[in-house]
Amino acid sequence: MPTKNKAVNTKLRGDVSHTVSLDYEEELSSLKKTSMPNKETPTKTTTKTTSLEKAEKICKLIATFIIILSATFHFYRLFRYEKGGQTCPLLFESGRWIQDKWQPDGCMIHEYEPLEVQTCLQHQEVAIIGDSRMRSIYFHLADTVSEEPVKSGKKHENLYYRDKKYNLTITFYWMPELDQESGTLFKSWIESGKIPHLIIMGLGTWTIKNSKHTAVVDYQEQLKSLSPSLNHIGRNLTLQKLFTIANSKTRFHHEPQFIWLMQDPVIEDRLSIERKAITNIQIELYNYAAKKSLDPSPFVHIMNATTLMAAGKPDHSNDGLHYDSFIIKNKLDAILNSFCNDFVYPDDASCCRDLDHVTQLQFNTFAMLSTCVILWFLMFICRKRRDKVVQSLSSSELERYDASSMFPWMHSEHMYTGIKAMAKLAFIILYIFLADSSLLYDKEHKTYSHAAFFVPLVIIFIVALLTRGSTKNTEVLNEDQMLEWKGWMITVLMLYNYTDAQQILPIFVNIRLLVFSFLFMVGFGHFTKFWYSGDFRLYNVCKILAHLNVFCVLLCLAMGHSYQYYFLTPLVTFWFFVVYVTMALFPRVTSNIVEENPKRLFLMAGKLVILFVFVFVVWAHENVCDWLFSRIVIKELFVDVNGSVEKWRIHSGLHRYAVIFGMLCGYIYVNLKRLDLIKDTDNDGNILPSTKYTIATMVVALCALLGYEIQAFTCHSKSLCDHTHSIASCVPILAFVLLRNLPGFLRTRYSLLFAWIGDMSLELFIGQYHIWLSNDGFGVHVLIPGFPTLNAIVTTFTFVCTIHEVKQLCSTLADLLVTKDVRIMLRRLIIFIILMFIVWWHKTHEKKPVFYV
């Protein structure tokens, strides 16, 4: 790309579309004049820029070293030390409580809802064997799948539950001690061939209570004697699974299991007199004996994590022996995660779940990225070789040398820059894929606390206030101010996602307001740009669209997600296009046209009214909205992975008036300036002519903000808040704009930190789902296991450094992709259409695995 255009893109990168401002030659000349007031300025600016670039390079090198070191550590631990290439051992063996959520070491479990349990256990037989502790598990499971209360039955008898609707049975076998009866039960299953698909067994407290200390030897021998039967049952379950797969028309996901539950610890001071013999020392001894006896069997899964659950919550036991429904539900969730995850396939689980199916489109994407890496390597070698050869050649000899080359494009600076950027992105996307779609890195649940959300937020805002700067542009919502606005908003948004703060309704309401604000800036910023420039060239539009979507498109192809998965990018892209079409369509109304004919102002007002009516009609009728965005030509841009436009309708509908409100504010603003009713050219002066008016307006705006926050705190449900969101959000945004811009000392100063963050806000929002969060945003990415606070700091550092590099690489690619040469753009348009056809073909011919939700 020419140097002239590149300078414009670098200087104007903080436009409201998050990428670059329009490529206006007139702005370029004015920027050059204002940026060099004297001879000393360029030297100082260059020194500062060089120092900043050096600091950025050092930080990125440190981040790269951390990522490589952590990847090596996790790779060793994955295959050599802890996991053995699987996540089920993590679920069965270890874990800890994070507030009231159970967290296995390294993976995430799903909290199963009744409908999911019914779906998972349909056509299944479940057997629960043991004493009163196991009986409580039976009752909890039966109550979960049953629509009516389950009869309690007698205490020391077998219990049976059958659900005809889902064709599932749950049987409890009263077997408080290991004896001959245990072997008889297993032999009857083997002889009849009717072996339950899921067997849950655990006992030992009766043996401890009724026997002497030496009974543990008999307990261990009894378990060893049952090993042949258990192995036989395990083999039959495996063969039964294979037979079902071969003969069933539907996919059979379940892995038949025999699960042995270790005995929970007791709270000794709460035990009744007849249970005082049951001590934790004896329980540990019996658990050790069970592990020694059953661990060699490949068909028995020993669940030790349930004992850790009980040990971590002793307050949930009233009698010291039995635990309440909270602990029982978490035990069942652990069991169901091991048995059901590959059947139900919940999004927020990574334990005992197969990796996502790598599609042919993903495979081809990585093949293309690998090709870029190889080309970069070859071009690097060729360029080095060429540099040595041409040192002594004249310019004419150099031209003849390049002309004689078999591959002249290998020496093209333009081509080398693009291939180099793609090669670097290939390594970054590989890291993203390994972080989120493999077993290499640990994944943990998000947890909310007021300290986790507000303390980092306060610290960041304090640091941001200490990094103040003055802007040369004093206009309302100037470039630096918009960057700052986007910066602190994306910081709050990401912290909201990291801490799982959506469960706090007032925070949820304010986060919706921030998304509304992003789209407000799209409307206001692009309206004023088009208004003053009158430049509607497709080149500028393509440049903005390219900067908006390069990273998002690459992630969609590499991660197998739909375009709508990264909902903020589709929202910003769509509404920018709406602003462009509204302004570009006949009759065009711009600043120059209005100066010649002021009556044209009414035409612009009419356009805004028509746009409002159109948006109101489309989003007020679900059928109309679904039909409009489901057309074959544009369908792939709006459907989710299931081919539905429902998510798009919901997301866009919530904020449907944000861009129109931004355009309206821009329309009012440019006309007030035209009539000299407001003046924002003074560095320290107020916009309004009187200080009294300024103070009064600020008081009203402050009251409006407080009123909105009162509404947010008194709103009782998300549905009620959403109902008023699209209209009510206009009030606090206008209040904020007034408070931020009325006094000159606030309008002309901004936070350098937030402006720096805001410059890459869209990339931060997209990338957070994979290398700051994990498991598609449901968990958090773990580089340093066992140290949550240190891990949060390190992952934040590596995440920001990675995204900063992504921002630079994607800007380079976007600049190279869009050019003013019509012939080159036509060729690239044809290539783009072919690529879109390839993507469409892959999506329509890809065989999707069947999952039951």
Side-chain angles (χ1 to χ4, degrees), residues 437-466:
S437 298
S438 73
L439 300 177
L440 181 61
Y441 291 97
D442 289 351
K443 301 171 177 64
E444 292 189 352
H445 290 286
K446 298 186 288 186
T447 55
Y448 175 80
S449 68
H450 293 311
F453 180 77
F454 288 105
V455 171
L457 202 59
V458 170
I459 294 173
I460 293 171
F461 270 83
I462 291 174
V463 174
L465 289 174
L466 296 176

Side-chain angles (χ1 to χ4, degrees), residues 117-271:
V117 180
Q118 292 168 347
T119 304
C120 171
L121 298 183
Q122 60 182 330
H123 311 300
Q124 306 293 305
E125 295 182 16
V126 181
I128 302 174
I129 307 169
D131 52 20
S132 56
R133 285 179 165 185
M134 301 302 296
R135 184 174 57 212
S136 61
I137 294 178
Y138 161 82
F139 279 121
H140 197 284
L141 180 59
D143 284 332
T144 301
V145 299
S146 176
E147 297 178 357
E148 298 178 356
V150 177
K151 296 180 180 179
S152 58
K154 296 182 179 180
K155 284 187 176 181
H156 297 165
E157 289 186 357
N158 298 342
L159 301 171
Y160 178 80
Y161 170 81
R162 177 173 176 78
D163 191 313
K164 294 182 180 180
K165 180 179 178 181
Y166 292 94
N167 189 28
L168 68 89
T169 59
I170 307 171
T171 308
F172 170 68
Y173 295 92
W174 171 255
M175 196 174 296
E177 296 187 74
L178 285 173
D179 51 25
Q180 192 174 1
E181 184 181 350
S182 305
T184 304
L185 175 63
F186 296 150
K187 287 179 182 178
S188 66
W189 286 345
I190 295 171
E191 291 173 358
S192 64
K194 296 180 180 179
I195 304 174
H197 301 96
L198 175 61
I199 304 171
I200 309 170
M201 187 174 182
L203 49 90
T205 55
W206 275 60
T207 307
I208 298 173
K209 182 180 70 171
N210 298 332
S211 306
K212 300 178 181 179
H213 296 300
T214 56
V216 68
V217 178
D218 298 332
Y219 180 81
Q220 186 172 358
E221 291 299 323
Q222 285 282 355
L223 283 174
K224 286 182 178 179
S225 66
L226 291 176
S227 293
S229 298
L230 296 179
N231 290 334
H232 192 93
I233 289 172
R235 283 193 207 92
N236 276 276
L237 287 174
T238 304
L239 292 173
Q240 181 180 337
K241 177 193 175 184
L242 296 174
F243 177 79
T244 308
I245 292 174
N247 293 276
S248 178
K249 295 181 181 179
T250 59
R251 180 173 175 179
F252 187 82
H253 301 264
H254 293 90
E255 180 70 43
Q257 292 183 4
F258 189 111
I259 298 176
W260 179 273
L261 294 187
M262 291 292 202
Q263 292 301 299
D264 298 337
V266 296
I267 296 87
E268 297 180 6
D269 57 354
R270 299 181 191 174
L271 293 173

Side-chain angles (χ1 to χ4, degrees), residues 322-424:
H322 303 93
Y323 287 83
D324 62 13
S325 58
F326 174 80
I327 299 296
I328 296 171
K329 184 186 186 307
N330 278 275
K331 287 183 180 182
L332 266 177
D333 279 337
I335 295 170
L336 292 171
N337 271 260
S338 68
F339 186 69
C340 300
N341 278 1
D342 278 338
F343 182 76
V344 178
Y345 216 77
D347 292 330
D348 60 344
S350 63
C351 296
C352 296
R353 201 190 79 171
D354 289 340
L355 295 176
D356 292 334
H357 173 65
V358 178
T359 64
Q360 186 64 41
L361 182 59
Q362 287 179 273
F363 181 83
N364 293 344
T365 301
F366 280 104
M368 181 268 293
L369 293 173
S370 302
T371 304
C372 291
V373 173
I374 295 172
L375 283 176
W376 178 38
F377 179 72
L378 293 176
M379 292 179 74
F380 178 79
I381 295 176
C382 292
R383 288 165 65 86
K384 287 292 182 182
R385 179 174 175 274
R386 178 180 179 275
D387 290 342
K388 291 181 180 180
V389 173
V390 303
Q391 285 179 355
S392 58
L393 298 181
S394 63
S395 57
S396 59
E397 291 174 332
L398 178 60
E399 290 179 3
R400 287 196 300 271
Y401 177 82
D402 289 339
S404 63
S405 175
M406 294 181 61
F407 305 102
W409 56 269
M410 295 284 283
H411 308 298
S412 169
E413 185 68 30
H414 184 88
M415 180 67 73
Y416 180 74
T417 302
I419 294 297
K420 181 180 179 181
M422 284 296 296
K424 288 185 176 180

